[in-house]
């Protein structure tokens, strides 16, 4: 009988430990799920960069008409500063919150063209195989 009571107490202890460990495991899995669902750290900055570039391109005609040759700065998809030179623009940018990404461009026809192609040793363009099959 004493052996049965000892075995029963040992089983109760194991069940309690299992319940405790299960709770800790559940918390760890929930934290891991939340981290996996969170956006990547670089993602918001990338989207902000694109929003600023898109705003710049949308304003092409007015920028060329009003600010040709000047430097413009965009942040969060909005025009935030205009100056005749980079040196004049810099204090405006430095006064902004450092956490905010700023897109700067000089307004001229070339600014609105596609970026030039460039060669990087060891980096190759992948061909679209769907074009070959048609």
């Amino acid at each position: 009988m004493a052996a049965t009571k000892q075995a029963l107490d040992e089983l109760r202890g194991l069940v309690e430990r299992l319940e405790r460990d299960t709770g800790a495991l559940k918390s760890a899995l929930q934290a891991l799920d939340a981290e996996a669902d969170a956006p990547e750290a670089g993602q918001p900055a990338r989207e902000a960069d694109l929003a600023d570039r898109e705003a710049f391109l949308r304003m092409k005609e007015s920028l060329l008409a009003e600010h040709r040759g000047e430097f413009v700065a965009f942040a969060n998809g909005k025009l935030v500063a205009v100056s005749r030179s980079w040196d004049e623009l810099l204090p405006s940018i430095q006064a902004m919150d450092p956490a905010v990404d700023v897109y700067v461009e000089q307004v001229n026809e070339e600014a609105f063209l596609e970026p030039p192609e460039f060669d990087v040793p060891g980096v190759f363009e992948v061909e679209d195989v769907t074009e070959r099959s048609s």
Side-chain angles (χ1 to χ4, degrees):
M1 181 98 152
T4 305
K5 180 160 175 30
Q6 183 180 1
L8 187 59
D9 288 344
E10 191 174 320
L11 278 174
R12 283 187 180 132
L14 288 172
V15 168
E16 286 176 15
R17 183 175 171 195
L18 181 61
E19 287 172 349
R20 221 179 22 252
D21 290 348
T22 300
L25 181 59
K26 182 179 179 182
S27 296
L29 284 172
Q30 287 172 340
L32 191 57
D33 279 344
E35 186 177 322
D37 290 340
E40 292 182 30
Q43 193 70 16
R46 177 79 175 133
E47 289 174 6
D49 289 345
L50 290 174
D52 295 339
R53 175 77 176 152
E54 288 171 355
F56 175 74
L57 294 172
R58 273 194 314 273
M59 295 179 66
K60 174 182 180 175
E61 297 306 320
S62 64
L63 289 172
L64 285 170
E66 299 171 28
H67 302 291
R68 188 181 297 267
E70 296 180 333
F71 286 82
V72 293
F74 284 81
N76 298 321
K78 295 182 175 139
L79 180 64
V80 293
V82 178
S83 293
R84 289 177 292 195
S85 71
W86 170 254
D87 292 335
E88 287 180 21
L89 185 69
L90 194 55
S92 300
I93 295 170
Q94 289 173 331
M96 295 180 66
D97 180 357
V100 175
D101 289 330
V102 179
Y103 175 80
V104 176
E105 188 78 63
Q106 185 173 18
V107 179
N108 55 42
E109 288 291 340
E110 292 80 29
F112 296 98
L113 300 177
E114 290 294 318
E117 290 187 28
F118 59 94
D119 290 325
V120 177
V123 176
F124 304 96
E125 184 176 345
V126 177
E127 293 180 30
D128 187 358
V129 293
T130 57
E131 290 179 10
R132 277 197 236 160
S133 59
S134 42

